[in-house]
Every structure is written in structure tokens, then in C-alpha cells.
Amino acid sequence: MLLSKNSALESKDNEIFEVEESIAIQSELIKTMTTMVNSKAYVNERNQMVPEARCRKQANYHVEQNNKIVDEELSDWESKFFEVDMDDLHELFMAANYLEIESLLNGVTKRVGDFIKACKNVEVIRQTFGINNDFAAQQEEEIRKLNSWNHI
Amino acid sequence: MPFPFFTLNLNNNLPPTVKAPASFNETNFPRFSLPPTKLKRVKEDPEPETEGFMNLDENLLYEVLKHVDARTLAMASCVSKLWLKTARDERLWELICTGHWANIGCGTQKLRYVVLPLGGFRRLHSRYLWPLSKPQAASPLPWAPPKIINSKPPARWGKDEVHLFLSLLISIQYYEKMHFTSRRR
């Protein structure tokens, strides 16, 4: 375990973040890394990750705030925190996934789920997420029929 | 509450027609994926690809779809092949189905043992839960459900309602196998 209370985490583009240990170990990834190695210096070296320093900043910010705020205010704060555009959301998502921070992941997936819910039909979903339709015409017809119970 | 069909007793042994598998794996239930494993990590060097904002792979998409409702989930299966594959996951539909009822009266695993061999949660929902949760069904079902439940279904279903639906599911399967060709979708 780390000796000091603050752990210094280095991201792939060589930016160093000082975070409290209790916050850092909310990330499952960091937790396993710290239990595997003993010295702080080694942990620094090993943390060659996440291309975007910003991801980590936001992830750390999220968990920090989480720890500070009481439960009642938390949901308000969280809804504000996640009201970002798709690109930022995408970054947060990748960060949460890579660092394995459950609370962040929950928040992000919920928000993306809301995005999808807000789409009126399949075309809008495709546009929002930039997905190509890779169905053959016949397949698509079949699937729509199967789901016709949905369109009441 | 008297049922027109046989009563499903989930607390004791399973009905004789349903065999509980010794182990719960893909060979037994081809449509049911394995229990959720650890979230797969994105590759070490993810350069954001130029196509599309959200480059969601299967696992991430699964996590997102956990939060949507039934209608959206069905829509999601029309988007692309990957989305189709993910949206058909039985676990997601299990979440949606069990969200309807407060107390099933049996454990999750027992419920799975019954529902999965009979077509799974997705089928349960699309065929029976969805039409019966609408007070006036626009498209009538080939058979009329017994009028045990009030015209307005309860917001949270209790044990009895769940048992009713499950017993309906079993009997409809049997009924359909008796060569009723007039029942065509």
C-alpha cells in the first residue's frame, strides 16, 4: 500500500495528478495496481494510461465531489455534472470504463440511456450516435415486423 | 385467486415438464448469455475513430441499455447488427420484466429456470406483459386473456399476477403446439 496519503498518478501524456488515496482507490484499476506494488515511485511508472489527461481530471473531479457532497445534494450535482455534450460524455465514458469507477460509469451510462430514450425513432438514434445501418433491406424488414408490438 | 389453468407453484419443485439444468450455461439456453463478467477494458491505445461519436462496443452498449425502458430497447434492436445482438440479451429483458413486479415469491434463479426454457424474458415481455399492461390493447390478441385482472392493471404486480402470467406463458406454449394454425402472427 502507498505510504503517503496522497497518491501521485501520472497519465500517458505525462501530466501528474495528486489525489487523495481514498479517492484514487475508488477506481478499481488503481486499487489493484496499488495492492500489487509497494512503492509509490513504482506506481507512478506503471500508470502509463489514458491518452487524455482531461479524462482523468474529470474522473478525479467526479469522485472528489462525490466524497464531499451529502446525499441529498448529490443527485442535483450529478445531473448538472453529466449535462455535457456527446464528446465530453464520450471521454467520461472511456475514462470510467478504463479506470473502472463504478459511480462514474453509472452516471454516464444513465445519461447516454436518456439520450437514446429521447430519440423518436431508429433513424434519429443512428444520426445521434453516428451509426451505419448494416442491415440488408430484407433483414431490416423482418426485424421491424418482430418489433411491431412496440409501435402502438 | 382461482386460475383458469394450472397453478404454478414456484416454491416447491418445478413443474414436471420443466427440467432444471444442473448448471446454467450456454448449451442449455442458447439465447441466454453467461452471467455478467468483469467489464472489458477499452484497448490500450484507443484513437477515437472517425466514424461516430460513441464507439460503443458490446459491453459498453450493454451497460447503457440497462437504463432504458422496454420500448427503447426494442427500438435499439433495429439500429444495427451490433445493437441487435446486444438488445436481445436476456438479462436486459429480465431487468425490464422484473421491474414490473414487487414481489415474485421466488428467487431470481428459480424464475429463470422457468422462464428461459419457455422462450425467455424478451418473449414474455413482448407477447404478454406489454399488451396486457395497456388498458386498451389496440391490436387484439388471438386469444382473450381471462378477466381476472381489472381493466386497469396494478402499477406494481404482486405474486399472484406474476404467477398468472407465467402460467399463461406455459399454457399458451402448449396450446400453440396443438396445431392451431389459425393463430398466425
Side-chain angles (χ1 to χ4, degrees):
Chain A
M1 297 300 272
L2 294 176
L3 300 171
S4 63
K5 259 198 177 163
N6 286 348
S7 49
L9 305 170
E10 187 183 342
S11 76
K12 192 166 183 182
D13 45 356
N14 296 327
E15 209 177 315
I16 298 188
F17 301 94
E18 282 266 342
V19 282
E20 265 184 40
E21 196 179 326
S22 57
I23 293 170
I25 58 172
Q26 280 199 24
S27 154
E28 289 294 321
L29 182 71
I30 296 176
K31 199 169 162 192
T32 34
M33 276 192 173
T34 54
T35 53
M36 277 163 57
V37 298
N38 284 327
S39 71
K40 179 180 165 192
Y42 195 43
V43 171
N44 273 347
E45 243 180 85
R46 293 280 301 252
N47 281 347
Q48 297 289 321
M49 34 180 164
V50 186
E52 295 283 329
R54 201 157 150 238
C55 278
R56 309 214 56 183
K57 235 183 213 158
Q58 290 194 318
N60 289 330
Y61 181 68
H62 172 90
V63 291
E64 261 178 69
Q65 293 302 108
N66 251 346
N67 286 344
K68 285 182 197 163
I69 299 178
V70 194
D71 275 328
E72 298 96 56
E73 298 168 4
L74 189 61
S75 49
D76 286 334
W77 180 85
E78 274 197 353
S79 46
K80 279 193 207 129
F81 183 78
F82 290 114
E83 255 166 46
V84 290
D85 65 358
M86 286 291 267
D87 290 329
D88 291 341
L89 207 58
H90 181 68
E91 280 182 14
L92 274 179
F93 203 166
M94 295 298 128
N97 183 35
Y98 192 85
L99 296 171
E100 295 171 37
I101 302 172
E102 198 175 318
S103 56
L104 187 60
L105 194 65
N106 271 339
V108 174
T109 50
K110 196 147 173 267
R111 183 90 182 101
V112 180
D114 290 341
F115 262 120
I116 303 181
K117 261 195 253 191
C119 294
K120 296 240 161 76
N121 60 42
V122 181
E123 261 317 306
V124 180
I125 297 182
R126 286 195 191 125
Q127 279 169 17
T128 320
F129 291 89
I131 298 172
N132 290 328
N133 180 8
D134 55 353
F135 287 129
Q138 195 198 12
Q139 262 184 314
E140 185 155 6
E141 214 22 68
E142 278 173 20
I143 293 166
R144 277 188 201 269
K145 258 197 215 152
L146 278 176
N147 282 323
S148 59
W149 59 265
N150 194 26
H151 309 302
I152 291 181
Chain B
M1 216 186 245
F3 296 127
F5 311 99
F6 63 84
T7 311
L8 187 66
N9 193 342
L10 291 168
N11 290 323
N12 296 334
N13 297 328
L14 295 167
T17 50
V18 177
K19 265 190 266 179
S23 68
F24 214 56
N25 59 45
E26 265 185 9
T27 54
N28 294 351
F29 305 118
R31 273 176 289 178
F32 185 84
S33 315
L34 290 169
T37 53
K38 207 153 153 35
L39 201 62
K40 274 190 207 154
R41 239 178 276 143
V42 177
K43 287 183 203 149
E44 289 288 344
D45 272 330
E47 285 302 324
E49 293 181 16
T50 47
E51 341 138 357
F53 292 124
M54 286 271 175
N55 233 6
L56 299 175
D57 78 339
E58 211 173 317
N59 287 313
L60 300 183
L61 188 57
Y62 172 79
E63 291 294 320
V64 172
L65 291 177
K66 273 205 259 193
H67 298 281
V68 300
D69 57 355
R71 191 199 158 92
T72 318
L73 195 56
M75 257 198 329
S77 60
C78 300
V79 174
S80 79
K81 285 186 182 158
L82 173 68
W83 283 53
L84 175 67
K85 188 173 164 204
T86 317
R88 288 207 151 173
D89 196 322
E90 281 294 316
R91 289 169 292 175
L92 291 172
W93 288 100
E94 185 182 349
L95 278 173
I96 288 180
C97 290
T98 50
H100 277 298
W101 46 68
N103 168 30
I104 306 172
C106 71
T108 332
Q109 199 70 327
K110 275 193 180 161
L111 184 66
R112 280 182 193 166
Y113 284 157
V114 175
V115 176
L116 288 171
L118 296 170
F121 288 96
R122 188 168 56 89
R123 190 178 155 106
L124 173 67
H125 185 275
S126 70
R127 284 228 181 165
Y128 312 114
L129 296 184
W130 170 269
L132 290 171
S133 69
K134 299 211 145 238
Q136 296 98 32
S139 52
L141 299 171
W143 50 274
K147 307 251 174 193
I148 289 181
I149 298 176
N150 305 334
S151 54
K152 272 199 189 136
R156 297 283 278 180
W157 293 342
K159 196 163 109 174
D160 288 337
E161 284 84 11
V162 171
H163 283 190
L164 170 67
F165 284 121
L166 291 176
S167 59
L168 284 175
L169 182 61
I170 294 168
S171 39
I172 298 305
Q173 290 273 116
Y174 178 67
Y175 202 44
E176 283 178 350
K177 278 182 192 158
M178 286 166 64
H179 310 299
F180 273 84
T181 54
S182 56
R183 190 183 318 281
R184 248 184 229 169
R185 281 225 157 251

Short mmCIF file of all heavy atoms in Angstrom, two decimals, chain A residues 7-19 40 44 47 53 56-57 60:
data_model
loop_
_atom_site.label_atom_id
_atom_site.label_comp_id
_atom_site.label_asym_id
_atom_site.label_seq_id
_atom_site.Cartn_x
_atom_site.Cartn_y
_atom_site.Cartn_z
N SER A 7 -1.71 10.06 -3.42
CA SER A 7 -1.00 9.31 -4.45
C SER A 7 -0.86 10.19 -5.68
O SER A 7 -1.75 10.95 -6.02
CB SER A 7 -1.75 8.03 -4.79
OG SER A 7 -3.08 8.30 -5.02
N ALA A 8 0.28 10.07 -6.27
CA ALA A 8 0.52 10.84 -7.49
C ALA A 8 0.32 9.92 -8.68
O ALA A 8 0.97 8.90 -8.79
CB ALA A 8 1.93 11.40 -7.47
N LEU A 9 -0.59 10.29 -9.53
CA LEU A 9 -0.88 9.46 -10.68
C LEU A 9 -0.44 10.16 -11.95
O LEU A 9 -0.70 11.34 -12.13
CB LEU A 9 -2.38 9.18 -10.75
CG LEU A 9 -2.97 8.57 -9.49
CD1 LEU A 9 -4.48 8.57 -9.57
CD2 LEU A 9 -2.46 7.17 -9.31
N GLU A 10 0.22 9.40 -12.76
CA GLU A 10 0.71 10.00 -14.00
C GLU A 10 -0.07 9.47 -15.18
O GLU A 10 -0.26 8.27 -15.31
CB GLU A 10 2.19 9.67 -14.14
CG GLU A 10 2.84 10.38 -15.31
CD GLU A 10 4.29 9.96 -15.46
OE1 GLU A 10 4.82 9.42 -14.48
OE2 GLU A 10 4.83 10.14 -16.54
N SER A 11 -0.50 10.36 -16.00
CA SER A 11 -1.24 9.89 -17.15
C SER A 11 -0.31 9.75 -18.35
O SER A 11 0.84 10.11 -18.30
CB SER A 11 -2.38 10.84 -17.48
OG SER A 11 -1.85 11.98 -18.11
N LYS A 12 -0.85 9.21 -19.42
CA LYS A 12 0.00 8.88 -20.56
C LYS A 12 0.69 10.10 -21.14
O LYS A 12 1.81 10.03 -21.60
CB LYS A 12 -0.84 8.21 -21.64
CG LYS A 12 -0.01 7.58 -22.71
CD LYS A 12 -0.85 6.66 -23.54
CE LYS A 12 0.02 5.98 -24.58
NZ LYS A 12 -0.77 5.12 -25.43
N ASP A 13 0.00 11.21 -21.13
CA ASP A 13 0.69 12.39 -21.67
C ASP A 13 1.41 13.15 -20.57
O ASP A 13 1.50 14.37 -20.57
CB ASP A 13 -0.28 13.28 -22.44
CG ASP A 13 -1.58 13.46 -21.69
OD1 ASP A 13 -1.73 12.85 -20.62
OD2 ASP A 13 -2.44 14.20 -22.17
N ASN A 14 1.92 12.40 -19.61
CA ASN A 14 2.87 12.88 -18.61
C ASN A 14 2.38 14.00 -17.70
O ASN A 14 3.16 14.80 -17.22
CB ASN A 14 4.18 13.33 -19.27
CG ASN A 14 4.84 12.15 -19.93
OD1 ASN A 14 4.74 11.03 -19.43
ND2 ASN A 14 5.49 12.36 -21.04
N GLU A 15 1.09 14.03 -17.49
CA GLU A 15 0.62 15.01 -16.53
C GLU A 15 0.40 14.29 -15.20
O GLU A 15 -0.09 13.18 -15.15
CB GLU A 15 -0.70 15.60 -17.00
CG GLU A 15 -0.91 17.01 -16.52
CD GLU A 15 -2.19 17.57 -17.08
OE1 GLU A 15 -2.42 17.40 -18.29
OE2 GLU A 15 -2.94 18.17 -16.30
N ILE A 16 0.78 14.96 -14.13
CA ILE A 16 0.70 14.29 -12.83
C ILE A 16 -0.43 14.87 -12.00
O ILE A 16 -0.57 16.07 -11.86
CB ILE A 16 2.03 14.43 -12.06
CG1 ILE A 16 3.13 13.75 -12.88
CG2 ILE A 16 1.91 13.80 -10.69
CD1 ILE A 16 4.44 13.65 -12.16
N PHE A 17 -1.23 13.96 -11.47
CA PHE A 17 -2.35 14.38 -10.64
C PHE A 17 -2.11 13.92 -9.22
O PHE A 17 -1.81 12.77 -8.97
CB PHE A 17 -3.64 13.73 -11.12
CG PHE A 17 -3.99 14.07 -12.52
CD1 PHE A 17 -3.60 13.24 -13.55
CD2 PHE A 17 -4.71 15.21 -12.81
CE1 PHE A 17 -3.93 13.53 -14.85
CE2 PHE A 17 -5.04 15.51 -14.11
CZ PHE A 17 -4.65 14.67 -15.13
N GLU A 18 -2.30 14.85 -8.32
CA GLU A 18 -2.22 14.48 -6.91
C GLU A 18 -3.64 14.25 -6.40
O GLU A 18 -4.44 15.17 -6.41
CB GLU A 18 -1.60 15.63 -6.12
CG GLU A 18 -0.10 15.73 -6.25
CD GLU A 18 0.60 14.99 -5.12
OE1 GLU A 18 -0.06 14.72 -4.10
OE2 GLU A 18 1.78 14.69 -5.28
N VAL A 19 -3.90 13.06 -5.99
CA VAL A 19 -5.22 12.84 -5.42
C VAL A 19 -5.09 12.12 -4.10
O VAL A 19 -4.15 11.39 -3.86
CB VAL A 19 -6.12 12.00 -6.35
CG1 VAL A 19 -6.67 12.82 -7.45
CG2 VAL A 19 -5.38 10.80 -6.88
N LYS A 40 5.69 3.93 -4.01
CA LYS A 40 4.96 5.00 -4.69
C LYS A 40 5.58 5.28 -6.05
O LYS A 40 4.90 5.51 -7.02
CB LYS A 40 5.03 6.24 -3.81
CG LYS A 40 4.34 7.44 -4.38
CD LYS A 40 4.49 8.60 -3.42
CE LYS A 40 4.13 9.89 -4.13
NZ LYS A 40 4.50 11.05 -3.38
N ASN A 44 3.90 5.23 -9.95
CA ASN A 44 3.97 6.32 -10.93
C ASN A 44 4.36 5.82 -12.30
O ASN A 44 3.77 6.15 -13.30
CB ASN A 44 4.99 7.37 -10.48
CG ASN A 44 4.33 8.36 -9.57
OD1 ASN A 44 3.12 8.41 -9.49
ND2 ASN A 44 5.13 9.14 -8.89
N ASN A 47 1.72 3.82 -14.19
CA ASN A 47 0.49 4.46 -14.65
C ASN A 47 0.64 5.14 -16.00
O ASN A 47 0.45 6.32 -16.14
CB ASN A 47 0.03 5.49 -13.61
CG ASN A 47 -0.65 4.78 -12.47
OD1 ASN A 47 -0.97 3.62 -12.58
ND2 ASN A 47 -0.86 5.48 -11.39
N ALA A 53 -5.51 13.52 -20.74
CA ALA A 53 -5.33 13.91 -19.35
C ALA A 53 -6.65 14.42 -18.80
O ALA A 53 -6.95 14.28 -17.62
CB ALA A 53 -4.28 14.99 -19.25
N ARG A 56 -8.93 11.99 -16.95
CA ARG A 56 -8.58 11.70 -15.57
C ARG A 56 -8.99 12.84 -14.69
O ARG A 56 -9.48 12.64 -13.60
CB ARG A 56 -7.09 11.47 -15.46
CG ARG A 56 -6.63 10.47 -16.47
CD ARG A 56 -5.55 9.68 -15.96
NE ARG A 56 -5.93 9.04 -14.72
CZ ARG A 56 -5.12 8.31 -14.03
NH1 ARG A 56 -3.91 8.13 -14.44
NH2 ARG A 56 -5.52 7.75 -12.92
N LYS A 57 -8.78 14.05 -15.19
CA LYS A 57 -9.17 15.22 -14.41
C LYS A 57 -10.63 15.15 -14.07
O LYS A 57 -11.03 15.34 -12.94
CB LYS A 57 -8.91 16.49 -15.23
CG LYS A 57 -8.04 17.46 -14.53
CD LYS A 57 -7.86 18.73 -15.32
CE LYS A 57 -6.47 19.28 -15.06
NZ LYS A 57 -6.00 20.15 -16.10
N ASN A 60 -11.41 12.27 -11.71
CA ASN A 60 -11.00 12.58 -10.34
C ASN A 60 -11.90 13.62 -9.73
O ASN A 60 -12.25 13.55 -8.56
CB ASN A 60 -9.55 13.08 -10.33
CG ASN A 60 -8.61 11.95 -10.64
OD1 ASN A 60 -8.90 10.80 -10.33
ND2 ASN A 60 -7.50 12.25 -11.26
#
